[in-house]
Every structure is written in structure tokens, then in C-alpha cells.
């Protein structure tokens, strides 16, 4: 078996940490932001977990770089976009191609939250 020097092991470990750190940071934040939004919907907006089709953390290229996309079971053709950096805020609603096929109209969306004026 080949003898690997201690210096090579340390160098390899540092390279591995530098390569993996951004991946762990992004994946961890996606999970954290999705959990914040899910908790907000269940505890503050009184949704039941069964009403949520998906709550997915997303890392995007625009600011803010982390946001969460929620799809409700009773409205599968709409993506509701939430920011949860400080307070949880519904930022946007996007009708997906599936929603267009289903005839979903922007004025008839079921889960749109009114923004707080402040």
C-alpha cells in the first residue's frame, strides 16, 4: 500500500472542504428557508400540512438569492413565491404552463396574500 504523507492528507482535506463548503451552504439554506415558510403557513396561516403539495427552497441568481416556492394541492398550476429572510412574505404568484392549460386566471387565485402596507 502506498504511503501518503501527512502534508498531502491535509492539503487534500483543505481542497475537499473548499469544494464542498458552497454546496453545503446552498443546500442548507434552501432547507432552512423552506422550513421557515412551511412553519409560517401551518402556524400563522392555519394551513394543514396535507394542503401543501410542495414547499421547496430555491437558490436563484437574482437577489434575494434564496426563496421558497409553494404549491398547494387545490391549485397545482400556481407557484407561490415566498421570501423568508426576516419575516415571511409572499412575494409573487406564477401561473405555470399546467395552470394555463387548466384555465387558471390571476384574479381567481385562492392563496394570494395581501401585502402589509407600512
Amino acid at each position: 500500500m502506498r504511503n501518503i504523507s501527512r502534508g498531502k492528507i491535509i492539503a487534500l482535506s483543505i481542497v475537499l472542504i473548499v469544494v464542498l463548503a458552497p454546496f453545503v451552504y446552498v443546500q442548507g439554506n434552501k432547507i432552512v428557508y423552506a422550513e421557515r415558510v412551511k412553519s409560517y403557513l401551518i402556524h400563522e396561516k392555519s394551513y394543514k400540512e396535507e394542503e401543501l403539495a410542495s414547499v421547496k427552497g430555491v437558490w436563484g441568481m437574482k437577489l434575494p438569492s434564496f426563496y421558497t416556492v409553494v404549491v398547494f394541492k387545490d391549485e397545482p398550476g400556481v407557484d407561490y413565491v415566498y421570501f423568508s429572510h426576516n419575516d415571511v412574505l409572499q412575494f409573487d404568484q406564477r401561473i405555470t404552463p399546467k395552470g394555463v392549460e387548466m384555465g387558471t386566471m390571476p384574479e381567481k387565485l385562492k392563496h394570494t396574500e395581501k401585502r402589509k402596507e407600512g
Side-chain angles (χ1 to χ4, degrees), residues 28-56:
N29 274 316
K30 286 168 42 175
I31 292 167
V32 166
Y33 287 108
E35 284 301 316
R36 278 187 199 162
V37 171
K38 186 175 182 180
S39 177
Y40 164 80
L41 292 171
I42 292 170
H43 297 112
E44 292 185 36
K45 291 297 181 177
S46 301
Y47 286 102
K48 299 204 180 329
E49 195 164 350
E50 305 83 52
E51 296 176 273
L52 307 173
S54 69
V55 179
K56 183 178 179 185

Side-chain angles (χ1 to χ4, degrees), residues 3 15-16 28 43 47 52 56 70-71 80 82 90 93 99 102:
N3 197 4
V15 169
L16 198 58
H43 297 112
Y47 286 102
L52 307 173
K56 183 178 179 185
V70 177
V71 178
Y80 289 88
Y82 288 83
Q90 188 183 90
Q93 309 83 32
M102 295 168 55

